[in-house]
Amino acid sequence: MTLITSQMIHSAPFHDQLEAVRLADAHFDAQGQVETTGDIDRKVVCLRPMRKGLPEISAESVGEQVRVHLYGHGGSGWTLLWGSIEKAMALFEEKAREHKFNDQVSITIIGAGCMGKAVALSLFHAGYRNIRIVAEQDNRIASLNSTGYLAMVSLATESETEKQEAEQLAIETLKGYQSVDRGTHPIVNEGVHLIDVYSGLGKEGEEGPLETYTGIEPFAEAGLLPKPQQGVVEFSTGVSYPMQKFQTYFMDTAVIMAAFDHELRTRNIPVIHETVGSLDDIKTYVVFNCSGLGAASLNHDDKVYPNMGLLLELAHQPLKKLDYIIYTRYQPPDAPKRSSPPDKADIYFMPRSGGLLGATFVDHNDGSDNALNEALFTRILRENKQFFGYPLNTH
Ligand SMILES: Cc1cc2nc3c(=O)[nH]c(=O)nc-3n(C[C@H](O)[C@H](O)[C@H](O)COP(=O)(O)OP(=O)(O)OC[C@H]3O[C@@H](n4cnc5c(N)ncnc54)[C@H](O)[C@@H]3O)c2cc1C
């Protein structure tokens, strides 16, 4: 992984004046923990379906049945969505020809996340008419909690070849979002727009926003998104920082999932709420296994593990004026020097829902350690208050 290099920077410097995220009314309680009142609406604990190496996208025949696996996209499921769906559909069509399936073949999709719902709609678009989705749940899932940042971060690729393969899926996906943005996508045409992303320029050991691998670099290098600029960001609170400005797509995941639901209803594709104990329990000719973390047991895949992300959902934000993303490492003033991985942001603001502050990237963590969660929520709020220029008023 390389940090941004000076050769990539070509545009004129900018001086952007941005509305600061409102955190004056965000407080800590007597224990020093974040209070869900004032500017903070909710604390959210959620899990990314990580997989060591690449996401699993494969097809197999088990007797008369075809099983397509499509899971393990970690913190980049939305970033890899359309490329992954395309690959899974191509593998399925090959098997469908072998098995001589027609368009009435019975298809069960396990999972109602972005993978399950988008594959259901893609199958319908390809002409298949006997489709159902079976899912344990479709509300408190990674796909809905996702921040919706199109960037190559939070995957567990282990080699340059795997990284390049993932980037290829991401590039296909970017093209998909470009057509969503233009209103020409066959499945969904809302919830996506280009957005400015700011990250730091500070060097190791300095204070403030630090140089960060934003995950947009591969797209900028391929000429698919604008190259970054360097300049100054001045917030309405008076603080200002030298920063780097990228552009990428913001996927409003709640809006897109609602659009998927609408399209599923229109096409009479049911979502049945059930837990599948074993793939052998599914008797349809075709199974798409889009079960995210559930694939660890359903497909006996010991490469799958949870990575915990925490989010603070905000209240009372002037969201229209906050149409930007901050994704940066950050060294708080007067704090012990930290050495965080180059691609993991400490300050992460997204304009989704009422506005989000996040996010943590805690590997092999299932979210059940409340003491750790509270400590991390406190860190998120404390450092965001400092970053956006508010006093640290504890009780
Ligand atoms: C905090 C956070 C921030 C994120 N931010 C981003 C981002 O900015 N950009 C990005 O690209 N990605 C991001 N992601 C990652 C992205 O959300 C996921 O990669 C993606 O949503 C995975 O989609 P999925 O459909 O595979 O899984 P999920 O959304 O997890 O859905 C899995 C489905 O399978 C069902 N299921 C599981 N087991 C069973 C079973 N045994 N029987 C029946 N049903 C079962 C579940 O109930 C669910 O419906 C983020 C994730 C989190 C948690």
Side-chain angles (χ1 to χ4, degrees):
M1 188 169 295
T2 49
L3 285 179
I4 201 76
T5 59
S6 54
Q7 297 92 287
M8 285 188 68
I9 293 146
H10 70 146
S11 319
F14 63 87
H15 187 113
D16 287 356
Q17 291 183 314
L18 300 182
E19 183 80 15
V21 171
R22 293 204 179 151
L23 294 174
D25 287 335
H27 296 289
F28 303 98
D29 66 16
Q31 281 74 46
Q33 295 183 353
V34 176
E35 284 181 346
T36 47
T37 53
D39 287 329
I40 307 292
D41 199 20
R42 217 161 61 103
K43 299 175 186 175
V44 183
V45 178
C46 38
L47 304 178
R48 301 178 181 89
M50 295 298 290
R51 185 171 189 274
K52 209 163 151 17
L54 283 167
E56 179 68 14
I57 309 176
S58 61
E60 57 175 343
S61 299
V62 180
E64 289 190 317
Q65 189 178 62
V66 169
R67 292 179 183 173
V68 182
H69 300 284
L70 176 59
Y71 62 81
H73 290 76
S76 292
W78 284 96
T79 301
L80 304 178
L81 180 66
W82 303 116
S84 301
I85 299 283
E86 229 170 78
K87 182 170 174 191
M89 285 293 291
L91 293 169
F92 167 63
E93 293 288 11
E94 205 179 306
K95 286 282 179 194
R97 277 191 295 277
E98 255 174 51
H99 283 250
K100 302 195 171 28
F101 291 152
N102 65 27
D103 57 13
Q104 293 304 320
V105 66
S106 54
I107 303 176
T108 301
I109 294 158
I110 307 172
C114 58
M115 294 297 155
K117 287 180 174 173
V119 93
L121 293 166
S122 301
L123 285 161
F124 190 95
H125 184 69
Y128 295 94
R129 290 294 178 265
N130 190 357
I131 307 165
R132 63 175 190 149
I133 298 176
V134 176
E136 204 164 78
Q137 56 165 315
D138 61 356
N139 47 10
R140 294 153 65 90
I141 57 175
S143 296
L144 267 173
N145 282 322
S146 171
T147 43
Y149 172 46
L150 185 115
M152 295 294 291
V153 287
S154 193
L155 274 171
T157 50
E158 294 181 304
S159 65
E160 193 51 34
T161 319
E162 286 183 351
K163 187 170 162 268
Q164 282 170 10
E165 219 176 295
E167 280 176 9
Q168 203 43 51
L169 294 175
I171 284 170
E172 292 311 313
T173 302
L174 174 83
K175 292 179 190 160
Y177 288 121
Q178 283 170 333
S179 71
V180 175
D181 197 22
R182 281 195 300 267
T184 56
H185 196 273
I187 288 175
V188 68
N189 280 308
E190 53 191 306
V192 173
H193 71 270
L194 278 172
I195 194 165
D196 291 337
V197 179
Y198 298 91
S199 66
L201 280 169
K203 301 282 173 244
E204 234 46 61
E206 293 177 2
E207 287 183 350
L210 303 178
E211 205 175 10
T212 307
Y213 182 82
T214 65
I216 305 170
E217 290 81 353
F219 304 103
E221 277 162 17
L224 296 165
L225 288 171
K227 297 229 183 319
Q229 295 169 264
Q230 290 187 352
V232 172
V233 175
E234 192 181 330
F235 288 103
S236 50
T237 47
V239 285
S240 66
Y241 304 108
M243 293 193 88
Q244 199 140 236
K245 177 161 71 170
F246 289 77
Q247 225 177 39
T248 191
Y249 278 101
F250 166 56
M251 292 95 55
D252 193 329
T253 51
V255 170
I256 303 173
M257 290 300 280
F260 284 165
D261 288 340
H262 174 79
E263 298 302 322
L264 290 168
R265 278 194 302 275
T266 308
R267 290 160 177 73
N268 289 321
I269 300 175
V271 180
I272 301 154
H273 289 113
E274 258 173 43
T275 302
V276 177
S278 158
L279 292 181
D280 296 336
D281 295 342
I282 306 289
K283 301 300 178 197
T284 50
Y285 280 104
V286 181
V287 185
F288 275 79
N289 172 18
C290 306
S291 58
L293 281 172
S297 68
L298 280 182
N299 201 30
H300 313 290
D301 189 339
D302 59 12
K303 291 185 175 175
V304 173
Y305 61 91
N307 171 286
M308 182 180 68
L310 299 181
L311 301 169
L312 289 177
E313 281 188 6
L314 301 174
H316 317 308
Q317 300 295 320
L319 219 55
K320 284 209 171 74
K321 294 186 191 162
L322 298 174
D323 195 26
Y324 60 77
I325 293 172
I326 309 284
Y327 187 89
T328 190
R329 293 163 66 227
Y330 179 64
Q331 174 62 51
D334 308 321
K337 296 288 172 243
R338 66 158 43 125
S339 60
S340 40
D343 61 339
K344 299 289 177 279
D346 304 300
I347 304 294
Y348 189 5
F349 166 73
M350 298 288 300
R352 178 168 77 65
S353 306
L356 295 177
L357 297 180
T360 56
F361 301 88
V362 191
D363 258 347
H364 300 283
N365 184 300
D366 68 0
S368 59
D369 182 345
N370 287 332
L372 174 68
N373 298 350
E374 287 303 331
L376 291 171
F377 281 129
T378 301
R379 200 262 312 143
I380 292 171
L381 179 56
R382 172 179 288 275
E383 293 182 4
N384 273 281
K385 285 192 101 165
Q386 289 174 288
F387 175 83
F388 283 108
Y390 294 95
L392 274 181
N393 49 339
T394 47
H395 270 242

